[in-house]
DNA sequence: TGCTGGCACTCCGCCGGACCGAGTGCCAAG
DNA sequence: CTTGGCACTCGGTCCGGCGGAGTGCCAGCA
């Protein structure tokens, strides 16, 4: 039996179904593809493919549509990467080059992804766990309050207002903060956020007894800030594309939108994909249909990849109906990821 | 002619249509409401109402549905405010009381609004134009770069990294920044952002010639930052509710989602509503259907009101199909606005 | 003058039947 | 293993008829 041809048939079915949104039959297949055999032969192949769970028919005597398993095989073994046109590459570049800061880069990226893939786009903010502390600033802001600002080398800034209860008055607090600022900076600068917490305890140790209460309070807040910094953030765009993408999702559209609004859900999803086998930089990770553990996303597929300056800082990708154009989508996600990474490196 | 009864009929039509989503006929009206007259009489009234443009029939020999004009009259003259139950009030309060900072307040508010109205919620960030500068901080962050942090008395923080090209070296920049910091703070603290720009020029004037270049650069960045601070921000939630809200919007759902994603559009809308007659604090402003100038929102209504600590800092509200339960929605928006304002005042 | 019951008319929505076409599965032959 | 042929299934669509909801109009009545 020609195993090769059966795979070709599967590929043809996926391609036709993706472009037509309609179950595809044996006759249509031989007409649109150079398979070199008759419809009857294709029918036999289709019967086997259905037996093995790669395709299914919505009802008797209808054409076949791919199952999640079928898409999976298609993505893993059959999809030819569809390179982007020069014009598209230029468009990506010029659009992203206009960005002025990190927020702007992320914002532009997510819009761009949504626009060129015509699907919903997701961009995770560069993770802070691998980012290093560049500077810590302590500013007295009247009364016994202080502003704590934490700057990372990825350009992200976390800030928090601390109400220092144990401070005696504004002047003493101001001087204490000044001392503490230099101390904290020398202790933390260059350290990664994940490790920085450990260095904090040392700072408290070497503090003279008198100031210990104040310092402890501030260090605690800084600890919180570091943890908060580790909290991931995502932005999304292009939800309207999900509506337009045909009636496929109409049933679950509500659930999908809910899932997208719950950033926690998205973050878990993205996190999981980071752990996919071979999901490093430059490698795309694809979740198809029910492979997404979240119930609301059982009819959607997610394509993501890592990006960052040199090492992977975070992930970006798109989300759409399982019936999506994988080759094009994957090419777009990959291309955008590369450009964003390049921008972040500079 | 009993003008009163005709208005009652309109009210009844709106109420029935909102709850049933189906055109309502004369017979159903007299059954469900104590109008004290026969269907035939109602029919005459309906004919007049249709003549005057308050209601319309989707097709001959169907019931009537309200037009935008009909809803407008209903909202302006017929809607009885539906007070919230004690349980609902408690729920609002406990949910909002858990917030820890401004971002959290806004986030919780928008989610809460979406949840209790079962529609899409919009919350504009407290406007900075009326906010006052509490503190300006300048931090050298290696090389010839500096971090500029602007803190307002509404608790919002803007920050920006400045690449000071005209600086000679790190040390001189550091000292220059220290001087400038105190100068800026005394010049700006307490001033409103809108006015603060004017004070900036003075600062440059009194600077010794040697540092003028550096100062000019930083002041320019600060100016940008003030302007950026004036840029409004909105957050939305509950878009999934739009899908569930029946098939009314299904046609324009895509356009609506697009409009919601374009924060610029939303901001313009909210801005316009601020200028509505009698749209002060405690006063609800309602835009019905085509009253929204944005084309994508022609089938939606928007209910907003101002909120803030004492004076109106920004607006919040919800967006849903024109066929929405105005009394309940308006009550919810009003209640949430009052609680948020109370929290911001403390 | 305004309300009411009656009546004819319109038109949407639903149901059932017939039909068409696409597609399948199977089989016998090449 | 492939192929053409053939019978079969079944969804989609196009009527035609029907029922019901609703309207507009009119004549009668308070």
């Amino acid at each position: 039996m020609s195993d090769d041809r059966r795979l070709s048939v599967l590929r043809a079915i996926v391609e036709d179904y993706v472009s037509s949104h309609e179950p595809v039959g044996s006759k249509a297949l031989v007409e649109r593809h150079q398979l070199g055999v008759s419809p009857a032969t294709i029918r036999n192949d289709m019967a086997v493919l259905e037996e093995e769970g790669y395709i299914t028919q919505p009802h008797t005597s209808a054409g076949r549509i791919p199952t999640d398993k079928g898409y999976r095989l298609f993505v893993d073994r059959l999809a030819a990467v569809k390179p982007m046109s020069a014009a598209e590459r230029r468009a990506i570049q010029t659009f992203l080059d206009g960005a002025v800061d990190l927020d702007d880069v992320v914002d532009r990226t997510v819009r761009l992804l949504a626009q060129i893939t015509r699907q919903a786009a997701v961009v995770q903010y560069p993770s802070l766990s691998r980012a290093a502390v560049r500077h810590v600033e302590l500013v007295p802001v009247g009364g016994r309050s202080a502003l704590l600002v934490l700057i990372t080398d990825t350009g992200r800034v976390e800030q928090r207002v601390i109400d220092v209860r144990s401070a005696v008055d504004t002047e003493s607090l101001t001087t204490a903060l000044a001392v503490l600022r230099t101390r904290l900076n020398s202790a933390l600068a260059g350290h990664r956020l994940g490790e920085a917490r450990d260095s904090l305890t040392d700072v408290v140790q070497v503090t003279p007894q008198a100031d210990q209460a104040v310092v402890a309070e501030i260090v605690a807040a800084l600890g919180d800030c570091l943890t908060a910094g580790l909290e991931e953030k995502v932005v999304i765009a292009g939800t309207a594309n999900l509506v337009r993408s045909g009636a496929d999702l109409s049933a679950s559209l509500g659930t999908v939108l809910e899932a997208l609004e719950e950033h926690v859900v998205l973050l878990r999803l993205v996190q999981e994909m980071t752990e996919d086998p071979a999901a490093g930089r430059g490698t795309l990770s694809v979740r198809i249909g029910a492979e997404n553990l979240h119930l609301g996303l059982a009819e959607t597929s997610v394509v993501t990849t890592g990006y960052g300056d040199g090492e992977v800082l975070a992930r970006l990708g798109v989300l759409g109906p399982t019936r999506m154009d994988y080759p094009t989508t994957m090419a777009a996600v990959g291309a955008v990821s590369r450009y964003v990474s390049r921008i972040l490196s500079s």
Side-chain angles (χ1 to χ4, degrees), chain A residues 81-92:
Chain A
V81 185
K82 194 177 282 180
M84 313 209 65
S85 75
E88 286 171 315
R89 295 175 169 279
R90 253 198 316 279
I92 294 176

Side-chain angles (χ1 to χ4, degrees), chain A residues 143-213:
Chain A
R144 292 178 309 180
S145 298
L147 178 75
L148 170 66
V149 182
L150 176 70
I151 310 156
T152 74
D153 59 359
T154 50
R156 199 160 137 185
V157 180
E158 287 283 325
Q159 84 275 328
R160 176 155 313 191
V161 177
I162 316 169
D163 183 29
V164 189
R165 294 204 201 86
S166 52
V168 271
D169 56 37
T170 312
E171 287 80 46
S172 65
L173 178 61
T174 307
T175 54
L177 288 181
V179 176
L180 197 52
R181 179 195 302 144
T182 52
R183 187 109 45 84
L184 284 174
N185 273 303
S186 58
L188 299 183
H191 285 59
R192 299 198 157 182
L193 263 63
E195 315 152 5
R197 291 203 72 143
D198 307 334
S199 316
L200 284 180
T201 47
D202 304 344
V203 175
V204 183
Q205 300 293 336
V206 300
T207 305
Q209 199 65 33
D211 295 337
Q212 202 130 36

Side-chain angles (χ1 to χ4, degrees), chain A residues 33-50:
Chain A
H33 299 81
Q34 284 73 35
L35 292 170
V37 290
S38 80
T41 312
I42 300 299
R43 282 204 285 279
N44 292 330
D45 291 337
M46 289 167 97
V48 177
L49 285 171
E50 180 162 20

Side-chain angles (χ1 to χ4, degrees), chain A residues 14-313:
Chain A
V14 170
E15 287 172 356
D16 278 19
Y17 181 62
V18 162
S19 71
S20 74
H21 306 191
E22 277 172 5
V24 20
S26 51
K27 193 173 154 206
L29 270 187
V30 295
E31 278 170 5
R32 299 191 26 142
H33 299 81
Q34 284 73 35
L35 292 170
V37 290
S38 80
T41 312
I42 300 299
R43 282 204 285 279
N44 292 330
D45 291 337
M46 289 167 97
V48 177
L49 285 171
E50 180 162 20
E51 181 90 10
E52 292 170 344
Y54 294 112
I55 55 179
T56 186
Q57 38 188 345
H59 33 255
T60 330
S61 89
R64 307 304 216 289
I65 62 176
T67 59
D68 287 357
K69 189 178 170 187
Y71 285 121
R72 167 54 59 195
L73 184 62
F74 176 80
V75 168
D76 287 346
R77 300 188 41 197
L78 303 173
V81 185
K82 194 177 282 180
M84 313 209 65
S85 75
E88 286 171 315
R89 295 175 169 279
R90 253 198 316 279
I92 294 176
Q93 189 154 20
T94 53
F95 187 68
L96 290 185
D97 277 348
V100 299
D101 63 6
L102 181 66
D103 283 343
D104 202 22
V105 170
V106 171
D107 187 56
R108 280 168 183 255
T109 304
V110 73
R111 285 167 187 265
L112 180 67
L113 261 179
Q115 195 189 327
I116 62 184
T117 64
R118 301 194 161 275
Q119 296 181 86
V122 181
V123 176
Q124 180 187 17
Y125 259 76
S127 163
L128 290 192
S129 64
R130 292 184 196 150
V133 177
R134 185 195 281 171
H135 189 86
V136 177
E137 183 60 30
L138 286 167
V139 186
V141 285
R144 292 178 309 180
S145 298
L147 178 75
L148 170 66
V149 182
L150 176 70
I151 310 156
T152 74
D153 59 359
T154 50
R156 199 160 137 185
V157 180
E158 287 283 325
Q159 84 275 328
R160 176 155 313 191
V161 177
I162 316 169
D163 183 29
V164 189
R165 294 204 201 86
S166 52
V168 271
D169 56 37
T170 312
E171 287 80 46
S172 65
L173 178 61
T174 307
T175 54
L177 288 181
V179 176
L180 197 52
R181 179 195 302 144
T182 52
R183 187 109 45 84
L184 284 174
N185 273 303
S186 58
L188 299 183
H191 285 59
R192 299 198 157 182
L193 263 63
E195 315 152 5
R197 291 203 72 143
D198 307 334
S199 316
L200 284 180
T201 47
D202 304 344
V203 175
V204 183
Q205 300 293 336
V206 300
T207 305
Q209 199 65 33
D211 295 337
Q212 202 130 36
V214 174
V215 170
E217 248 185 304
I218 293 173
V219 165
L222 181 54
D224 278 2
C225 214
L226 288 173
T227 322
L230 293 176
E231 263 174 30
E232 308 287 355
K233 236 172 101 181
V234 286
V235 290
I236 61 175
T239 52
N241 290 331
L242 294 180
V243 182
R244 306 198 186 293
S245 71
D248 326 279
L249 290 178
S250 61
S252 61
L253 185 61
T255 338
V256 174
L257 283 178
E258 271 175 7
L260 286 179
E261 262 188 25
E262 278 306 322
H263 289 186
V264 184
V265 171
L266 275 184
L267 281 169
R268 194 171 348 157
L269 178 68
V270 170
Q271 194 57 39
E272 282 168 17
M273 295 182 73
T274 307
E275 291 149 12
D276 275 358
R281 165 88 186 297
T283 317
L284 292 160
S285 177
V286 183
R287 286 287 177 100
I288 298 167
E291 293 173 8
N292 294 304
L293 301 179
H294 187 74
L295 291 176
L297 301 180
E299 293 176 29
T300 64
S301 285
V302 188
V303 178
T304 69
T305 188
Y307 73 93
D309 56 336
E311 63 183 332
V312 175
L313 292 177

